[in-house]
Amino acid sequence: MPPVSESCIFCRIAKGELPSIKIYEDDDILAFLDINPVSSGHTLVIPKGHYETLLDIPDALGAKMTPALARIGRAIMTATKADGFNCLQNNFAASGQIVFHSHWHVIPRFDGDGLKQWPHKTNVDAAALQAVAEAIRAAL
Ligand code: 5GP
Ligand code: ZN
């Protein structure tokens, strides 16, 4: 049995204790509309089990996530006539995660919709790039 948290709203949605507008469901995965959408069709895709962040998701479950996200993303583009979509995931409070049951946002995007993404640093020196890459490789 996958883990469940009694106090988690997404676990309660997965169990049917709280309402949601469902988009897709299989044994392991549930997709439903975000209650406060960035754009019409904004969908949340969650594992039914309670895994707080990406770091907690078992590999076999993670392997099922990508095809489900692609299928939902394709359907969202068709249904909303979106020109693209963001598929993003927040991990830990510092990233903006507010519901600690891992989930992917699938957000329809339209040419010129004006939604801003993160600012990029444009003048990082090469040594700093090499240093952070080395630190990450060493931590793998
Ligand atoms: P996070 O910042 O954790 O990645 O995003 C959590 C998302 O869950 C937010 O976009 C928020 O609108 C959505 N959300 C929070 N509570 C509920 C709920 O009870 N039902 C639904 N459908 N979405 C929710
Ligand atoms: Zn949960």
Side-chain angles (χ1 to χ4, degrees):
M1 283 292 284
V4 176
S5 163
E6 299 301 329
S7 59
C8 169
I9 51 172
F10 286 2
C11 281
R12 297 189 67 200
I13 286 173
K15 282 193 286 181
E17 290 176 7
L18 291 176
S20 68
I21 300 176
K22 286 184 189 172
I23 298 293
Y24 171 81
E25 182 170 19
D26 63 29
D27 288 347
D28 306 300
I29 293 168
L30 174 67
F32 54 96
L33 291 182
D34 194 296
I35 203 167
N36 294 131
V38 171
S39 60
S40 177
H42 179 170
T43 296
L44 300 174
V45 185
I46 70 169
K48 286 185 171 175
H50 183 80
Y51 302 101
E52 290 195 4
T53 74
L54 182 69
L55 305 189
D56 305 305
I57 293 182
D59 289 355
L61 176 56
K64 294 178 181 174
M65 222 19 115
T66 305
L69 288 165
R71 187 172 172 198
I72 293 161
R74 193 176 291 112
I76 284 175
M77 284 191 72
T78 300
T80 65
K81 301 190 171 24
D83 301 305
F85 63 95
N86 291 109
C87 185
L88 62 89
Q89 212 241 352
N90 298 322
N91 295 285
F92 304 101
S95 74
Q97 184 175 11
I98 52 173
V99 177
F100 290 89
H101 178 132
S102 63
H103 53 275
W104 280 255
H105 296 257
V106 184
I107 302 172
R109 296 296 303 273
F110 298 86
D111 292 336
D113 64 17
L115 291 172
K116 299 284 185 217
Q117 296 188 9
W118 299 282
H120 289 253
K121 297 182 174 69
T122 52
N123 55 356
V124 180
D125 70 57
L129 292 176
Q130 290 294 351
V132 73
E134 193 168 327
I136 296 167
R137 285 194 297 265
L140 286 173

